[in-house]
Amino acid sequence: MSQSQIERESDGISEPHPNINIQKPRHQSSSDRDSMTLRENGDNSSNEAKNKGSSDGDEKPRARPDGKIELREDDCYDKLGFVFPSWKKWAILSAIFAVQSSMNFNASIYGNAVQPMSMEFGISEQAARVGQAVFLIAYAFGCELWAPWSEELGRWPIMQLSLTFVNIWQIPCALAPNFATIVVGRFLGGISSAGGSVTLGMVADMWEADDQQYAVAFIVLSSVGGSVLGPVIGAFSEEYQNWRWIFWLQLIFGGAVQAIHFFVPETRSAVLVDREAKRRRKAGETNVYGPGELKEHRFSAKEIVTVWVRPFEMFIREPIVLCLSLLSGFSDALIFTFIESYQPVYEQWGFGTVQLGLAFIPLLIGYFICYLTFFPFIRRHSQIRKKDPDALQPEARLYWLLWIAPLETIGLFGFAWTSLGPPHVHWIAPMIFSLLIAMANYGIYMATIDYMIASYGPYSASATGGNGLARDFLAGIAAMYATPFYTNLPKPYTLEYPSTILACIAFCVTIPIYVFYWKGPVIRKRSKFAQTLASDRKAAGGRRVSAVGEKADEGHVEQP
């Protein structure tokens, strides 16, 4: 299937399931059509929204049998994040960029404390890496546990709570009298980290699926970029300060971004609708309630279990989430394993602690270059959708990845055989290949995340939580085997063989990208959340919905 076919074929999940009754789209009044215009142009100012929004239109909120009137998104669209002015959206996103960078910074800077901690506590360096593995594995599950609560209670309180706990757990690590305290603190810090699932959910709160790609690319850059900042800054701390400063730096960074985030407004649509309902009641509309206010037994034991289970259910039962998360996770684990080779590889050229930290800068350059390369394709897709909103299938978002993904295999092969050291190779050669590896890693993360957010809309936090689960869990496992992998293979190619093996694995791991590109519509037909969201979007006239119909409130969605 060519790209043009991907662009022109109709969406493979647009038709509702034949055995499910879908509510018919209601008649569009003039105010409804104006509201649709707003949804298609999410960057319009809030003042324009107030003039065109449907809150003052002919359509009335939905009346319930108990006499209460339920306020819906269509009734107060001008109050939602989609109509924030562009400057406000990007100001919020810049704050979230800093938050996400700090969380990934916490995950990566720990490596610079391994050697000094092992000396102080009298443990092996391999044992000291347990703190790294524990944090990453706990972080993987933290993303899953926090994400659905941000969908129920709002992004702001969940992120503030997460940052508070993360910062608190830095203190016992910095003051630790023994290594056990560090392991416990790292575990609690990891499980307290909300991670990219919440920050990416905020993108879905402010941009419609067709307009979100620039924002997704920006947030993904913060995630991978924060991972590189850790070893760069950590190298200077390791060289000139006590190892405890590794944790004080995390606390300083985390405290700063929490202060910035404090001024970020709520973006979750369901929460904003509830707030508008309360405002209207104070203004005299005594019988108007938001959807969250009308939920019965909202925080019962069953509801709590349902909310927590949702991301794990999506990870296991949704083919899109499962396959793309594993793809992204294996890629991240390969990168994490490859990074562990930096010390033995660059020590051949006499690199010290600071020079080793600076050797990570090509990764950051590679991430930024790949970030920029997505722009022409995003712009082209936007132009196509302006002419025909139905011209592009979601698989079109994977097109550039078809060309970027092979760089991972090429980069790993090249890095492997430029690791021979002097006098055979100059140190710049492996750095160039590491840049290519970074480009591929960014491309895989960006394209898979973008594809999932487009497919799952309001439940993108739970869907992308699966991506975070796979990436961090597999990276956590890699933390324990990576160093032995690069030190125990036969000579004389102890450093070259491991990277070559990783290149072969990378080749296999990238194959599913091409399967999804050509077979994506068939796979999406088997995704029950995607099926239901597509049906609800059709019922809503092609617009985004904040929940998967009433079935979502009951914990049910359509069966494939």
Side-chain angles (χ1 to χ4, degrees):
M1 184 182 294
S2 65
Q3 186 193 13
S4 60
Q5 288 175 302
I6 287 286
E7 293 171 353
R8 291 185 175 87
E9 287 188 7
S10 61
D11 191 335
I13 61 170
S14 62
E15 291 299 323
H17 193 282
N19 298 323
I20 299 295
N21 292 324
I22 301 297
Q23 183 181 355
K24 297 296 183 181
R26 53 185 174 81
H27 175 72
Q28 293 176 355
S29 64
S30 60
S31 61
D32 292 328
R33 288 190 292 271
D34 289 338
S35 180
M36 287 180 65
T37 301
L38 283 175
R39 291 176 182 265
E40 294 167 358
N41 300 279
D43 290 340
N44 287 353
S45 69
S46 57
N47 289 334
E48 183 181 356
K50 290 176 183 177
N51 294 332
K52 295 184 178 182
S54 61
S55 58
D56 297 325
D58 300 331
E59 199 68 34
K60 299 297 182 183
R62 181 169 53 186
R64 291 160 45 98
D66 58 8
K68 294 180 179 179
I69 299 175
E70 180 180 350
L71 194 67
R72 296 170 295 179
E73 280 191 19
D74 282 350
D75 306 309
C76 57
Y77 191 76
D78 59 308
K79 307 296 182 183
L80 305 184
F82 301 107
V83 293
F84 287 170
S86 292
W87 68 264
K88 185 174 182 179
K89 289 183 179 182
W90 283 98
I92 292 171
L93 213 61
S94 297
I96 297 305
F97 185 101
V99 170
Q100 185 62 50
S101 295
S102 75
M103 291 187 175
N104 288 78
F105 175 86
N106 294 345
S108 61
I109 194 174
Y110 179 88
N112 293 99
V114 167
Q115 187 175 13
M117 278 194 306
S118 69
M119 296 174 62
E120 178 161 337
F121 295 127
I123 59 177
S124 67
E125 291 187 16
Q126 185 67 4
R129 292 187 183 92
V130 170
Q132 177 82 312
V134 164
F135 181 89
L136 287 166
I137 293 172
Y139 189 8
F141 288 95
C143 290
E144 293 287 83
L145 295 175
W146 288 100
W149 288 108
S150 76
E151 293 163 350
E152 297 294 325
L153 302 177
R155 314 296 187 191
W156 190 91
I158 292 301
M159 187 59 77
Q160 277 290 310
L161 191 62
S162 170
L163 289 168
T164 298
F165 281 127
V166 169
N167 291 333
I168 287 173
W169 300 127
Q170 303 297 351
I171 298 174
C173 289
L175 301 175
N178 51 56
F179 185 66
T181 302
I182 290 177
V183 172
V184 172
R186 292 289 286 178
F187 171 80
L188 294 173
I191 204 73
S192 299
S193 301
S197 55
V198 176
T199 56
L200 287 165
M202 294 180 69
V203 172
D205 293 339
M206 295 187 289
W207 279 272
E208 298 282 3
D210 290 344
D211 303 317
Q212 70 191 0
Q213 289 175 283
Y214 286 112
V216 172
F218 188 63
I219 291 299
V220 170
L221 181 64
S222 72
S223 181
V224 296
S227 299
V228 175
L229 285 179
V232 173
I233 296 174
F236 287 91
S237 179
E238 182 182 357
E239 180 73 12
Y240 300 111
Q241 297 292 338
N242 183 280
W243 65 265
R244 297 180 187 275
W245 269 95
I246 294 294
F247 298 101
W248 291 127
L249 286 172
Q250 294 176 60
L251 178 59
I252 292 169
F253 195 0
V257 299
Q258 183 173 7
I260 294 171
H261 180 267
F262 185 83
F263 299 99
V264 170
E266 179 59 64
T267 60
R268 174 66 172 158
S269 296
V271 174
L272 296 179
V273 172
D274 286 349
R275 289 183 182 178
E276 174 62 13
K278 292 175 183 177
R279 188 196 67 79
R280 292 191 183 190
R281 288 201 300 274
K282 289 182 179 179
E285 298 181 49
T286 57
N287 219 25
V288 175
Y289 294 86
E293 297 176 295
L294 294 173
K295 285 185 177 181
E296 297 181 359
H297 311 296
R298 186 175 185 183
F299 297 110
S300 64
K302 180 181 178 182
E303 177 70 14
I304 290 173
V305 171
T306 299
V307 169
W308 261 335
V309 165
R310 184 194 301 152
F312 295 100
E313 179 188 7
M314 293 181 73
F315 180 76
I316 294 171
R317 300 181 62 180
E318 288 290 299
I320 294 175
V321 177
L322 178 62
C323 295
L324 292 183
S325 295
L326 289 177
L327 164 65
S328 184
F330 277 117
S331 174
D332 201 48
L334 289 175
I335 299 301
F336 193 94
T337 305
F338 140 78
I339 286 175
E340 287 299 304
S341 72
Y342 267 44
Q343 184 171 346
V345 167
Y346 289 109
E347 279 181 345
Q348 298 177 106
W349 288 280
F351 279 34
T353 301
V354 172
Q355 289 83 2
L356 281 172
L358 296 176
F360 284 85
I361 291 178
L363 293 177
L364 187 61
I365 296 173
Y367 289 144
F368 190 73
I369 290 174
C370 192
Y371 166 68
L372 295 178
T373 64
F374 271 89
F375 284 15
F377 295 91
I378 295 174
R379 187 180 302 110
R380 180 170 180 265
H381 289 172
S382 297
Q383 293 171 347
I384 293 173
R385 281 191 291 263
K386 285 180 181 178
K387 297 177 181 178
D388 181 1
D390 298 321
L392 292 173
Q393 290 195 75
E395 286 68 37
R397 298 178 186 236
L398 299 175
Y399 176 74
W400 183 225
L401 186 57
L402 301 180
W403 304 94
I404 289 291
L407 293 180
E408 187 165 68
T409 301
I410 295 170
L412 285 166
F413 268 123
F415 185 88
W417 297 102
T418 55
S419 299
L420 295 167
H424 308 288
V425 183
H426 191 274
W427 55 261
I428 196 66
M431 289 190 182
I432 292 173
F433 284 106
S434 68
L435 185 149
L436 298 181
I437 296 167
M439 291 182 64
N441 189 39
Y442 176 90
I444 290 172
Y445 195 15
M446 161 59 188
T448 56
I449 285 290
D450 188 29
Y451 186 59
M452 283 195 283
I453 290 180
S455 298
Y456 292 102
Y459 290 104
S460 58
S462 291
T464 56
N467 194 303
L469 171 67
R471 289 178 70 87
D472 295 318
F473 184 82
L474 293 175
I477 294 174
M480 297 309 299
Y481 71 71
T483 299
F485 183 57
Y486 271 95
T487 56
N488 294 330
L489 289 185
K491 296 181 179 181
Y493 299 114
T494 304
L495 298 176
E496 291 78 12
Y497 286 151
S499 295
T500 301
I501 293 171
L502 293 179
C504 295
I505 296 174
F507 177 80
C508 298
V509 165
T510 54
I511 291 175
I513 296 170
Y514 302 90
V515 175
F516 264 91
Y517 183 73
W518 277 287
K519 299 296 183 181
V522 176
I523 296 172
R524 282 185 288 113
K525 285 181 179 179
R526 301 183 61 184
S527 297
K528 61 178 184 176
F529 268 90
Q531 276 283 80
T532 308
L533 278 166
S535 299
D536 283 1
R537 285 192 189 110
K538 185 174 182 179
R543 302 187 299 272
R544 178 191 182 275
V545 292
S546 63
V548 193
E550 294 180 353
K551 305 179 192 70
D553 295 336
E554 300 167 1
H556 301 289
V557 289
E558 292 178 15
Q559 298 296 328

